[in-house]
Amino acid sequence: MAKVLLVEDDPSVRSALHRCLSNATYTVRECGTALGALRAVLDEPFDVMLLDLGLPDLDGRDMLVMLRTVSDIPVVVVTARHDEREIVRVLGSGADDYLVKPFSVEHLIARMTAVLRRAGTRGPSADVVTVGGLVVDAARRLASLDDAPLDLTPKEFDLLKFLAWRPGVVVARSELFQQVWLQTYHGERTVDIHLSWLRRKLGESAARPRYLHTIRHVGIKLEAPAPSA
Ligand code: CA
């Protein structure tokens, strides 16, 4: 039984879709905002997302771009406009397929089934990443260092995961705040505090870094220590 995250701000459309999908034996979680959907994806695993583009807090396409930095969940976009350029842009932003309103339930189920089938044959996704002695398991939300489990808070885990997925890449604090906290302003101090906690749990400090390196005036990167270190 596939689990669907249904992202739609219109309550009547949402409950109608919920009913149809439940009848088709899907398990459904509803969400009315783009940021709420991003949080939901970080909270629990879903098999597929059904995403309405017209959302109150963020444009669905901007949300897709943010989503793709943290998740490869299959996404079927629902759009009101049969505009070829818009559809090309949406697919380019990371959607797997799209539906133009109005659509029949049969059409919706057929699209979702096809997307799920392709996802099922996509092969193992990068759920587990290893950087040196650090192992981060995104699906089970577990991390370990040199085979010892790390006891991380949810935000510390998300921060570690975000950096571990792009080893060696310097990420600005503002981007970390946007991607991990899903907020857009005044977050550098929050990032610094969580980074210092994370460093402590990794047994290192800003002055004596092993995995987490601060590049002054640029950002943070995570990389494996040199073998001799
Ligand atoms: Ca809408």
Side-chain angles (χ1 to χ4, degrees):
M1 189 157 46
K3 226 170 120 182
V4 186
L5 181 59
L6 170 57
V7 190
E8 164 67 65
D9 61 323
D10 183 327
S12 59
V13 175
R14 200 166 63 218
S15 63
L17 284 173
H18 192 152
R19 209 165 40 245
C20 295
L21 291 168
S22 297
N23 290 342
T25 76
Y26 286 92
T27 304
V28 182
R29 178 167 160 190
E30 295 183 12
C31 191
T33 62
L35 290 178
L38 285 169
R39 284 193 201 100
V41 166
L42 293 174
D43 278 355
E44 59 180 298
F46 290 93
D47 297 301
V48 59
M49 179 190 291
L50 190 61
L51 174 66
D52 175 39
L53 285 187
L55 295 167
D57 54 340
L58 263 183
D59 180 74
R61 206 159 51 83
D62 296 335
M63 182 276 205
L64 260 176
V65 172
M66 291 170 80
L67 176 74
R68 284 299 174 233
T69 68
V70 290
S71 169
D72 61 358
I73 179 178
V75 176
V76 177
V77 157
V78 175
T79 169
R81 288 193 290 159
H82 201 340
D83 173 341
E84 188 164 350
R85 274 175 310 173
E86 171 74 4
I87 289 166
V88 167
R89 277 204 301 268
V90 161
L91 293 173
S93 303
D96 295 88
D97 204 351
Y98 69 94
L99 272 166
V100 179
K101 289 178 187 172
F103 50 82
S104 67
V105 177
E106 290 75 18
H107 193 170
L108 168 65
I109 302 290
R111 293 277 174 162
M112 297 222 325
T113 306
V115 162
L116 283 165
R117 190 171 56 234
R118 289 202 294 272
T121 55
R122 199 183 273 169
S125 61
D127 274 347
V128 181
V129 162
T130 303
V131 183
L134 191 63
V135 179
V136 183
D137 182 336
R140 295 191 295 155
R141 292 188 69 82
L142 297 172
S144 62
L145 178 59
D146 301 331
D147 296 324
L150 292 167
D151 181 18
L152 303 178
T153 66
K155 274 290 171 266
E156 288 164 3
F157 182 86
D158 292 340
L159 191 55
L160 181 65
K161 185 179 103 179
F162 189 86
L163 292 167
W165 250 248
R166 30 190 82 60
V169 176
V170 182
V171 184
R173 283 180 178 77
S174 56
E175 190 188 348
L176 277 173
F177 191 62
Q178 191 177 336
Q179 300 294 346
V180 177
W181 276 262
L182 305 176
Q183 294 173 40
T184 46
Y185 45 86
H186 304 317
E188 282 80 357
R189 181 84 188 118
T190 304
V191 172
D192 280 340
I193 291 168
H194 283 79
L195 271 174
S196 73
W197 291 337
L198 186 55
R199 281 194 164 108
R200 204 175 308 161
K201 290 183 180 175
L202 295 177
E204 61 182 72
S205 65
R208 291 178 169 276
R210 289 186 70 225
Y211 285 88
L212 292 169
H213 299 264
T214 299
I215 314 300
R216 194 188 286 259
H217 305 310
V218 185
I220 317 294
K221 69 174 176 179
L222 184 148
E223 64 185 8
S228 56

